[in-house]
Amino acid sequence: MTQETGGFAALDLHPSIVAAVLATGYEEPSAIQQQSIPIILAGHDMIGQAQTGTGKTAAFALPILNRIDPSKREPQALILAPTRELALQVATAFETYAKQMPGVTVVAVYGGAPMGPQLKAIRNGAQIVVATPGRLCDHLRRDEKVLATVNHLVLDEADEMLKLGFMDDLEVIFKAMPESRQTVLFSATLPASIRAIAERHLRDPKHVKIQSKTQTVTAIEQAHLMVHADQKVSAVLRLLEVEEFDALIAFVRTKQATLDLASALEAKGYKAAALNGDIAQNQRERVIDSLKDGRLDIVVATDVAARGLDVPRITHVFNVDMPYDPESYVHRIGRTGRAGREGRALLLVTPRERRMLQVIERVTGQKVAEVRLPNAQAVLDARIKKLTNSLAPLVADAESTHGDLLDRLTADIGCSPRALAAALLRKATNGQALTLEAVEKEQPLVPTYTPRERTGERPERGERERRAPMPLGEGRARCRTALGARDGIAAKNLLGAILNEGGLAREAIGRIQVRDSFSLVELPEEGLERLLAKLKDTRVAGKQLKLRRYRED
Ligand code: AMP
């Protein structure tokens, strides 16, 4: 065990939980974890203001696991999440952290999947239930006692749940639980509606907020790139082609990620090494010395391992995984731009981490401009530039040393100097792709990112006034429900219900138009019939949705 792991060990968590966390590769608790874990462990209600990327899931999952009794086979903790995607993510996190706690089971309860097996898993004694509010209410309608034994409730992304229209469902759920329960609420923002919930349903809550002081960052050019999590490695490889760097440090979150990225870089011929909390001190010093003198150009590190690392050669910092808080961002990018030199910092942002980017911008008082992934042409240009730079210095005297040889070879082979030069280039570049077609073929992947993911905009809200339906988006079908504004429906209710019951990603749902006596929703044409069948029994505001394909004449 390294000295840094004391961080988790000092938190009073059960050794089997600490062991599972360390096995996951976490080296030390993030700020939100450091502050929340003791409060939740002590049984207090809590309001945590934190967004995705801060490590908030573990901030509640670890102490909740600590507080349940694995020998009792009944639901003891309920975690509510706005979407099926998040519910699944949270359930997986619980499973990971409970790996060394025999007898603990987790069930995810969300729309779009049959209800029977979910209810059975609850009745069979799952201690942790992770649910979306709509589907959980359906279960409550079947069995109003289902939550009777739950004495820990977590509302995750409470603001998102309200935006998706789950307020009424939440009230039903609160009523179905013992009043003596512990309630923890996490939310990125604390608007009046959330404060009102806290006022009514939390008892003397402690507040946790990661205080962010304004930080100044100078001489470092900052940019961010939107990318999906599974495309990070290929995005990094492509960026490295065009960035002119001397030495570079890439930050990731876990030990495993340092190893994975370092070996992907080495496989592409970069001089790269991993630096994490498992690496012995003397080896760590060797890595840093190698980075200093150019035997290494890239170090892939966790925050802990990079502490105190000061290498003037570093021109670039890649934040491959998001830092937990703005301070740590500022700290990371401060590894470059040393001694008055210029530095460049690049941040990879996944769709769910957009908010964290905004927080960083606010705290640093600077805009972190968006860049796009370089296209094949840019990669080709960069490769040719590198080749030019490596050959140009040789041209001056190569003719005097190798000119006669060239004459002889062209004569012997019977080819032109151009043909021979081309052959030499092919050999020297080792089969590297150096035409546009070849580069395109080699790197077909361009991380895709829909405009909605980029801006974080929600589908348009209800538009009662407008008469004619708006033009239909490509690949989408318009569907109609007889529920409208006069049934108390707002666009967000439809969005929440369809997202969860249909099991769709948010960007799959197009415009939603709510009129007085009906509503129109744009859904993906592909798989529409299956989707409508799935939504057959969905209820919104207590009424059957009955969504049908809508054909305009
Ligand atoms: P969250 O903010 O809960 O969505 O967590 C964001 C990511 O950080 C997840 O991929 C977690 O696995 C990871 N994570 C959470 N806590 C830690 C930690 N203490 N050390 C390293 N990674 C962590």
Side-chain angles (χ1 to χ4, degrees):
M1 217 184 261
T2 59
Q3 67 196 39
E4 292 84 1
T5 55
F8 273 109
L11 278 173
D12 249 359
L13 290 162
H14 195 276
S16 63
I17 300 177
V18 176
V21 166
L22 298 182
T24 309
Y26 299 175
E27 297 189 326
E28 62 169 7
S30 69
I32 190 87
Q33 291 163 3
Q34 195 92 46
Q35 293 187 43
S36 309
I37 291 174
I39 295 175
I40 303 175
L41 274 182
H44 295 294
D45 282 6
M46 194 193 96
I47 299 175
Q49 203 175 343
Q51 48 274 311
T52 301
T54 52
K56 68 178 165 61
T57 314
F60 61 77
L62 303 180
I64 293 277
L65 278 174
N66 209 102
R67 284 179 60 77
I68 60 160
D69 177 355
S71 68
K72 276 197 201 151
R73 315 257 341 134
E74 60 189 23
Q76 297 171 47
L78 168 66
I79 292 68
L80 291 175
T83 60
R84 161 195 171 119
E85 177 204 10
L86 184 64
L88 282 169
Q89 228 169 287
V90 170
T92 309
F94 265 97
E95 274 164 1
T96 307
Y97 306 140
K99 268 220 175 90
Q100 313 202 16
M101 293 176 74
V104 173
T105 36
V106 183
V107 57
V109 167
Y110 49 82
M115 287 181 65
Q118 297 178 350
L119 201 54
K120 198 161 154 219
I122 300 177
R123 289 193 179 133
N124 278 350
Q127 293 91 344
I128 315 275
V129 180
V130 187
T132 54
R135 174 50 73 94
L136 187 64
C137 280
D138 293 341
H139 282 293
L140 280 172
R141 263 177 231 119
R142 286 192 182 183
D143 176 1
E144 59 184 28
K145 290 265 174 287
V146 81
L147 299 177
T149 53
V150 174
N151 33 28
H152 307 283
L153 168 66
V154 180
L155 305 168
D156 192 11
E157 301 198 356
D159 49 356
E160 287 295 311
M161 284 199 272
L162 294 199
K163 279 188 205 151
L164 291 175
F166 287 130
M167 185 68 216
D168 295 344
D169 291 337
L170 289 184
E171 292 294 341
V172 171
I173 294 167
F174 286 132
K175 280 207 194 83
M177 299 184 59
E179 275 194 13
S180 57
R181 65 165 189 269
Q182 174 182 31
T183 309
V184 173
L185 180 154
F186 273 93
S187 195
T189 56
L190 290 185
S193 51
I194 299 280
R195 290 200 301 270
I197 290 192
E199 191 108 320
R200 266 182 290 137
H201 299 286
L202 272 64
R203 271 172 310 159
D204 197 14
K206 307 260 183 236
H207 288 251
V208 168
K209 183 177 175 184
I210 304 305
Q211 289 296 346
S212 296
K213 294 185 272 352
T214 306
Q215 308 254 343
T216 36
V217 184
T218 46
I220 300 169
E221 190 188 323
Q222 301 169 63
H224 79 269
L225 179 91
M226 297 282 199
V227 67
H228 286 287
D230 58 353
Q231 294 168 328
K232 279 185 181 178
V233 174
S234 31
V236 168
L237 290 174
R238 195 180 273 213
L239 286 162
L240 287 176
E241 295 249 10
V242 301
E243 291 289 337
E244 291 174 22
F245 65 95
D246 214 351
L248 180 148
I249 179 158
F251 283 98
V252 293
R253 285 200 162 175
T254 62
K255 290 172 196 168
Q256 193 55 47
T258 62
L259 301 175
D260 292 346
L261 182 55
S263 56
L265 293 170
E266 276 190 306
K268 286 280 173 191
Y270 292 103
K271 293 184 280 175
L275 206 58
N276 63 48
D278 273 353
I279 288 172
Q281 187 57 24
N282 57 352
Q283 169 69 5
R284 178 176 190 273
E285 275 157 23
R286 236 174 295 145
V287 168
I288 296 174
D289 284 345
S290 303
L291 189 67
K292 278 188 182 149
D293 64 24
R295 276 173 296 154
L296 278 178
D297 290 328
I298 304 180
V299 163
V300 187
T302 56
D303 291 288
V304 173
R307 237 177 239 159
L309 188 149
D310 184 4
V311 177
R313 256 187 88 221
I314 296 176
T315 51
H316 283 60
V317 171
F318 274 17
N319 292 287
V320 178
D321 288 336
M322 184 63 90
Y324 299 114
D325 43 53
E327 284 80 4
S328 135
Y329 172 77
V330 172
H331 203 234
R332 283 181 178 186
I333 70 172
R335 307 267 160 232
T336 182
R338 290 282 161 118
R341 300 189 193 197
E342 275 178 26
R344 183 161 157 78
L346 207 98
L347 175 66
L348 301 193
V349 182
T350 63
R352 296 181 50 77
E353 293 169 337
R354 266 187 326 259
R355 271 226 178 86
M356 195 67 183
L357 171 66
Q358 290 163 5
V359 174
I360 287 173
E361 289 184 327
R362 206 176 56 232
V363 169
T364 57
Q366 286 181 17
K367 198 104 192 99
V368 180
E370 181 178 3
V371 290
R372 299 289 171 95
L373 204 63
N375 59 19
Q377 184 65 54
V379 170
L380 177 65
D381 290 348
R383 285 183 184 177
I384 292 177
K385 189 170 168 196
K386 266 187 212 139
L387 193 57
T388 311
N389 289 344
S390 68
L391 291 177
L394 306 180
V395 177
D397 68 346
E399 209 176 334
S400 65
T401 57
H402 289 67
D404 290 346
L405 179 62
L406 180 87
D407 291 341
R408 166 134 191 222
L409 288 174
T410 46
D412 285 357
I413 300 168
C415 67
S416 67
R418 180 179 149 94
L420 184 60
L424 288 171
L425 276 176
R426 185 191 287 166
K427 198 164 170 125
T429 54
N430 242 332
Q432 193 185 29
L434 284 162
T435 63
L436 194 56
E437 293 84 339
V439 175
E440 270 166 0
K441 219 191 269 131
E442 175 192 77
Q443 303 190 318
L445 166 111
V446 176
T448 48
Y449 215 82
T450 64
R452 186 167 296 139
E453 284 175 317
R454 186 179 303 286
T455 58
E457 269 169 32
R458 267 159 222 301
E460 234 158 288
R461 295 278 157 92
E463 291 189 307
R464 244 170 283 168
E465 302 77 2
R466 218 180 293 189
R467 296 253 61 136
M470 285 175 289
L472 194 56
E474 204 180 320
R476 297 194 189 278
R478 210 184 306 276
C479 295
R480 180 184 189 281
T481 163
L483 300 182
R486 68 174 178 210
D487 301 293
I489 296 284
K492 64 181 180 182
N493 304 112
L494 293 174
L495 177 63
I498 297 170
L499 269 180
N500 287 314
E501 294 294 316
L504 293 181
R506 206 172 285 193
E507 61 275 12
I509 303 181
R511 282 178 289 245
I512 300 182
Q513 303 169 68
V514 178
R515 307 285 169 77
D516 260 354
S517 58
F518 67 98
S519 304
L520 300 175
V521 184
E522 278 186 20
L523 295 169
E525 178 65 64
E526 202 184 320
L528 183 69
E529 299 313 319
R530 231 182 4 205
L531 175 66
L532 293 181
K534 250 192 197 173
L535 294 172
K536 197 163 65 60
D537 298 321
T538 301
R539 301 173 79 86
V540 183
K543 296 190 175 130
Q544 281 248 303
L545 179 63
K546 288 205 186 131
L547 207 54
R548 303 259 187 279
R549 187 189 279 276
Y550 175 65
R551 295 188 197 281
E552 303 120 69
D553 298 319

